Amino acid sequence: MKLIDSHTHLYAEDFYSDRDIVIERAKAAGVTAVLLPNIDESSIAPMFCLCDEHPEFAFPMMGVHPTSVDSHYSSKLQAIEKMLTKRPYCGIGEIGIDLHWEQAYLKEQRIVFEEQLKWSVDMNLPVSIHVRDAFSEVFDCIYKVGAERLKGVFHCFSGTVDELEEIKRMQRFKIGVNGIVTFKKSALSDIIRMVPSTMLLLETDAPYLSPSPYRGKRNEPAFLVEVVRKVAEELQISEEAVADLTRENTLALFDIPFPTSN
């Protein structure tokens, strides 16, 4: 199988001590590329370093994560915007709205999210969207900027059937499926059967959300095979078919070279 991890924070401090080994395990498991969403100013340097060390394997995005938004949002946004000309990116992300951890900065989160959506339109780049307890707010922002002008993925999808149907109506968005689908009490295993095959992407969100049987441990791209196994089981197709269709979907959305040598 040739897999693409469409959302991982492999540049994170969690991997500083053994990142090269983690990358070798990922490649041995069939992962040919990883897409790296940015968090804020502090994550830019390590993300760039990883991409420079593995230019045919790691591909960066640029954006401000919603949980990094506070009263200083304007200066943070300006700092990130300046980075947009520094190198090519495969997407704008990780962006969105998160009302699980913090609700005090909803207004600021909306401003930052909408501005970054506009960047994606101007640069013709897909967005990687983080949503937590905020689907209605995220949908409102997308429609305000123009759903017909936007494309991207709802990373780590954990919404309802109705929220999935709303995304399907937008037509240019995909669904990111990760280790949550393997959790025993997760409704995602049922919902993914309602997702058109052309909308499915695979991700780990490493070092977070390790799939079963690795729950409680640090997640890593090699564990993507557990997500493949569960998705194949739910869709009643082969693991190779899952790998093929999700790889093609990822390459159709994100502008990265087709990985052939890893």
Side-chain angles (χ1 to χ4, degrees):
M1 294 188 294
K2 290 185 177 181
L3 303 167
I4 298 177
D5 187 344
S6 67
H7 193 110
T8 180
H9 303 280
L10 189 55
Y11 54 78
E13 187 175 351
D14 305 68
F15 299 105
Y16 281 3
S17 65
D18 64 345
R19 189 163 56 203
D20 287 343
I21 296 172
V22 169
I23 289 174
E24 288 306 311
R25 280 200 295 263
K27 292 181 178 180
V31 178
T32 61
V34 295
L35 309 189
L36 307 173
N38 187 54
I39 298 298
D40 53 31
E41 294 166 89
S42 67
S43 57
I44 294 174
M47 181 178 70
F48 282 178
C49 181
L50 173 58
C51 292
D52 290 341
E53 291 175 354
H54 301 275
E56 296 182 354
F57 180 74
F59 301 91
M61 303 183 205
M62 184 52 60
V64 182
H65 193 285
T67 59
S68 294
V69 175
D70 55 23
S71 59
H72 304 288
Y73 74 92
S74 182
S75 60
K76 290 185 177 184
L77 196 60
Q78 291 174 14
I80 294 297
E81 185 175 18
K82 289 180 181 178
M83 302 306 299
L84 295 177
T85 60
K86 297 300 183 182
R87 63 172 65 201
Y89 300 98
C90 65
I92 301 295
E94 176 174 352
I95 67 175
I97 298 178
D98 189 316
L99 299 181
H100 179 78
W101 298 110
E102 179 63 77
Q103 298 184 21
Y105 296 108
L106 173 58
K107 178 182 176 181
E108 292 82 357
Q109 285 194 48
R110 289 180 65 111
I111 292 171
V112 171
F113 182 42
E114 290 176 11
E115 180 62 21
Q116 293 180 101
L117 290 176
K118 293 174 185 176
W119 296 350
S120 77
V121 172
D122 293 341
M123 300 180 71
N124 191 30
L125 288 174
V127 289
S128 182
I129 298 177
H130 172 109
V131 190
R132 196 161 186 192
D133 297 343
F135 270 99
S136 61
E137 290 82 1
V138 163
F139 289 155
D140 185 59
C141 292
I142 288 174
Y143 285 122
K144 183 176 178 181
V145 174
E148 73 285 350
R149 302 193 299 161
L150 294 161
K151 59 185 177 181
V153 55
F154 281 79
H155 137 71
C156 188
F157 182 75
S158 58
T160 64
V161 172
D162 288 343
E163 289 158 349
L164 173 62
E165 291 303 314
E166 188 67 31
I167 296 170
K168 287 162 70 173
R169 282 191 286 271
M170 293 179 184
Q171 297 185 350
R172 287 162 56 85
F173 286 87
K174 301 187 186 299
I175 299 296
V177 177
N178 58 24
I180 292 176
V181 75
T182 69
F183 298 175
K184 289 184 178 180
K185 295 183 179 180
S186 172
L188 185 58
S189 59
D190 295 323
I191 289 177
I192 63 168
R193 292 196 291 269
M194 306 175 193
V195 180
S197 60
T198 55
M199 287 180 62
L200 280 173
L201 300 188
L202 300 181
E203 59 170 73
T204 59
D205 200 21
Y208 316 108
L209 297 174
S210 293
S212 297
Y214 301 105
R215 292 195 69 179
K217 299 180 180 180
R218 179 193 66 178
N219 199 5
E220 60 180 77
F223 296 169
L224 194 62
V225 295
E226 301 298 335
V227 182
V228 173
R229 184 172 293 117
K230 181 61 175 179
V231 171
E233 175 186 322
E234 295 299 330
L235 299 185
Q236 296 186 328
I237 60 178
S238 69
E239 293 176 19
E240 289 76 12
V242 171
D244 290 344
L245 71 89
T246 55
R247 183 181 67 251
E248 292 303 315
N249 292 344
T250 306
L251 293 171
L253 181 61
F254 292 100
D255 184 18
I256 65 172
F258 183 78
T260 57
S261 59
N262 293 319

